[in-house]
Amino acid sequence: MATQSRAEVKPEDLKAIDRESMTPEQRYRAEFADEWRASLDRSTLEKPLATADTPLDEIDVSRPELYALDQWQPVFEKLRREDPVHYCKDSVYGSFWSLTTYKPIVHVEALPDIFSSDWRNGGFTILNSTDDKTIALPMFIGMDRPEHTAQRRTVSPAFTPSEMSRLDEDVRRRTGELLDSLPIGETFDWVDTVSIELTTGMLAILFGFPWEDRRKLTEWSDWMGDVNAAMDPELGPVRMAKMYEAAAYFQALWKQRKESDPGPDLLSMMAHSEAMRDMDDRNFLGNITLLIVGGNDTTRNSMSGVAWFMDQFADQREKLENNPGLIKNAVSETIRMQTPLAHMRRTAMEDYELEGKQIKKGDKLIMWYISANRDEEVFENANEWIVDRENARRQLAFGYGIHRCVGARLAELQLQILLEELTARRLRPEIDGDIERVNSNFVHGYKYMPVKLAKY
């Protein structure tokens, strides 16, 4: 499958990975990945992209181009209206059920013992995980109870209200300094200059990661979250090499933290916790991957989304500028509209009837948060960015139930402070050219966004 990686691909990256330098485990994993990519049936990718006119039995919303081209809205509107629990028989990911409205997603999320997230049962994305213990990358979002509970409990203290209060001053200082450094009336890339810089800095502080190397977190996150690259014969091995690179770097930090006294950073909390201190290498890398992608991609794409929405909905932007008291609500509304992770996946552990459809044991259910957050029965004028929307906090972008995003408060805090500091300086981002979106059905975001800052 021809895809364009979200990270910048350098020619040297596409050279063959040196198998001789790999450990036996790494070679085994690489061989498995090669065989898996070669066995994929790519014939569905030759079909036209779905539109509102596509017959229901031919709709496949897993195609990443739908999101890169921003053409997903009418297709999901059709599914919400005509078939909210929709079966796709043929896709490059195999067959799957699409849950596109609010009610069935909340229903499934509330039954974690029936609908599994576990990596041994397929995992939490549309891309099937392997259940081979020798090559899988377990992480707590891809675990069921009780494993999930114990590991989540370890990282939760990093995101409590008291921790958010502690971080507030630093986030505000860094945000203010960045905004003060930006040119007025000159075009720059908002994604790289603002969104990536702020979220990567926050990740570095959370992990106690060396500040001078913080942009490595961005690069690794781009590759880790790219499920399309994982399937690509050329980009897949590059992605794997980047993950090895991240693993080696974090293993050194992990060893350092375990040998030091407990500290306030997330890596130290994990290293000294009973539930996580004895993780094997794969479990460790899996959880690091989760925290990097979860902490980076989601917040940064919401930060880019807010610039886009402020430009596209001028009346709402003016309402917000005239009433900064709406900022907290506008944060929830921005996250609803952006939905930075388009979906999560569950696997049925038993036969189950859902909204009149017969789900079979082993079936894959894709919960399209990106669609549920536009459910017209829950959100009136759902395609509009409305900064004083009364029920904006009902958005599902963070998930629901036991797997609700552990870092939700931090994401909201960073976006809130960005809006507050823009308002304090009376700065207004204005789109100045064509934007480029991420080519993915999982991470819903922006690669490039030309912006000019104006004073008002």
Side-chain angles (χ1 to χ4, degrees):
M1 181 172 77
T3 62
Q4 174 61 46
S5 170
R6 299 178 59 240
E8 181 183 353
V9 182
K10 303 178 180 69
E12 58 269 24
D13 287 337
L14 293 174
K15 293 178 181 177
I17 296 175
D18 181 9
R19 299 290 171 96
E20 295 302 316
S21 66
M22 289 182 175
T23 65
E25 178 185 319
Q26 288 172 336
R27 281 197 296 275
Y28 177 32
R29 189 181 298 173
E31 289 166 5
F32 170 87
D34 290 345
E35 292 171 3
W36 170 72
R37 292 185 195 100
S39 69
L40 287 172
D41 178 3
R42 303 172 193 274
S43 60
T44 58
L45 302 176
E46 304 303 318
K47 298 177 181 178
L49 285 180
T51 70
D53 297 323
T54 302
L56 282 173
D57 60 359
E58 297 178 16
I59 288 179
D60 175 9
V61 289
S62 73
R63 297 280 293 277
E65 307 98 306
L66 275 175
Y67 308 91
L69 297 171
D70 202 33
Q71 295 177 2
W72 54 273
Q73 296 93 333
V75 185
F76 278 111
E77 284 175 11
K78 179 185 180 79
L79 290 181
R80 288 195 299 271
R81 184 175 61 250
E82 300 180 22
D83 196 17
V85 178
H86 172 262
Y87 187 68
C88 177
K89 183 179 180 181
D90 297 309
S91 85
V92 72
Y93 305 94
S95 60
F96 61 91
W97 292 94
S98 283
L99 280 54
T100 61
T101 54
Y102 198 97
K103 182 182 174 183
I105 289 179
V106 169
H107 186 90
V108 165
E109 291 263 47
L111 297 172
D113 298 324
I114 296 175
F115 298 104
S116 172
S117 305
D118 199 280
W119 60 274
R120 286 153 289 208
N121 299 322
F124 60 91
T125 74
I126 196 169
L127 181 67
N128 290 332
S129 64
T130 175
D131 60 358
D132 188 329
K133 295 180 180 179
T134 63
I135 59 178
L137 291 177
M139 55 190 76
F140 68 82
I141 195 176
M143 295 177 180
D144 293 335
R145 297 182 291 197
E147 282 179 295
H148 167 267
T149 306
Q151 293 200 11
R152 181 185 171 100
R153 189 176 291 138
T154 295
V155 302
S156 293
F159 304 101
T160 60
S162 60
E163 276 300 294
M164 294 307 97
S165 297
R166 186 180 70 83
L167 290 170
D168 184 294
E169 182 179 351
D170 179 74
V171 174
R172 196 172 299 278
R173 175 185 57 78
R174 289 189 302 106
T175 303
E177 289 174 354
L178 176 63
L179 293 178
D180 289 339
S181 73
L182 298 177
I184 306 298
E186 296 179 21
T187 304
F188 62 91
D189 178 13
W190 180 271
V191 174
D192 185 73
T193 309
V194 177
S195 305
I196 289 178
E197 184 60 28
L198 288 177
T199 52
T200 302
M202 188 71 260
L203 265 184
I205 290 168
L206 270 181
F207 281 124
F209 193 87
W211 188 255
E212 64 276 10
D213 286 343
R214 65 190 183 281
R215 281 291 178 128
K216 288 182 181 291
L217 294 168
T218 304
E219 182 183 20
W220 295 335
S221 177
D222 282 350
W223 286 104
M224 290 170 170
D226 195 337
V227 297
N228 302 316
M231 302 171 71
D232 187 270
E234 287 191 332
L235 297 178
V238 179
R239 178 179 182 266
M240 184 167 55
K242 296 296 182 183
M243 293 180 75
Y244 291 157
E245 180 185 313
Y249 198 115
F250 270 99
Q251 283 289 3
L253 294 179
W254 180 255
K255 183 174 184 292
Q256 181 187 80
R257 296 300 196 281
K258 290 186 78 168
E259 294 172 354
S260 305
D261 291 335
D265 64 276
L266 192 52
L267 211 52
S268 183
M269 290 181 187
M270 294 165 64
H272 290 276
S273 75
E274 186 172 342
M276 302 181 90
R277 66 189 177 198
D278 297 321
M279 290 186 294
D280 60 30
D281 289 351
R282 287 177 297 280
N283 203 332
F284 172 76
L285 179 56
N287 277 308
I288 291 299
T289 299
L290 167 64
L291 293 167
I292 290 176
V293 175
N296 183 56
D297 276 10
T298 54
T299 308
R300 105 183 190 198
N301 286 312
S302 294
M303 284 183 168
S304 297
V306 78
W308 175 251
F309 301 138
M310 289 174 79
D311 184 85
Q312 299 298 300
F313 299 91
D315 61 326
Q316 296 298 308
R317 181 197 65 216
E318 291 173 11
K319 186 186 295 185
L320 190 61
E321 290 171 348
N322 293 329
N323 185 1
L326 293 173
I327 284 177
K328 281 191 176 181
N329 199 71
V331 166
S332 296
E333 176 68 349
T334 298
I335 294 169
R336 179 192 73 85
M337 281 285 284
Q338 182 57 40
T339 314
L341 291 181
H343 78 264
M344 285 287 171
R345 171 259 186 90
R346 301 291 182 261
T347 301
M349 302 307 292
E350 60 185 62
D351 292 353
Y352 196 89
E353 182 175 322
L354 181 67
E355 301 280 312
K357 300 295 180 73
Q358 300 301 316
I359 310 296
K360 299 295 184 183
K361 181 179 179 180
D363 280 359
K364 182 192 304 188
L365 294 87
I366 309 302
M367 303 179 297
W368 293 103
Y369 299 152
I370 198 171
S371 177
N373 276 341
R374 304 289 180 101
D375 187 339
E376 300 83 349
E377 294 190 7
V378 178
F379 303 105
E380 188 177 357
N381 298 316
N383 290 320
E384 302 290 315
W385 186 62
I386 301 173
V387 295
D388 55 358
R389 183 184 295 278
E390 291 184 1
N391 65 346
R393 287 198 64 80
R394 288 190 67 188
Q395 56 85 13
L396 284 176
F398 292 130
Y400 181 88
I402 67 169
H403 287 287
R404 189 177 189 275
C405 176
V406 70
R409 286 194 189 96
L410 182 57
E412 291 171 335
L413 176 68
Q414 292 177 86
L415 191 54
Q416 177 183 330
I417 288 176
L418 175 59
L419 283 171
E420 288 173 348
E421 295 303 308
L422 281 169
T423 301
R425 290 160 175 78
R426 298 185 68 81
L427 290 175
R428 173 186 296 164
E430 298 176 345
I431 306 299
D432 187 42
D434 295 332
I435 69 169
E436 188 176 354
R437 299 175 186 272
V438 173
N439 184 35
S440 174
N441 61 24
F442 183 57
V443 174
H444 180 230
Y446 309 84
K447 294 175 69 174
Y448 173 73
M449 182 179 290
V451 161
K452 280 185 179 179
L453 280 180
K455 284 276 193 178
Y456 65 90

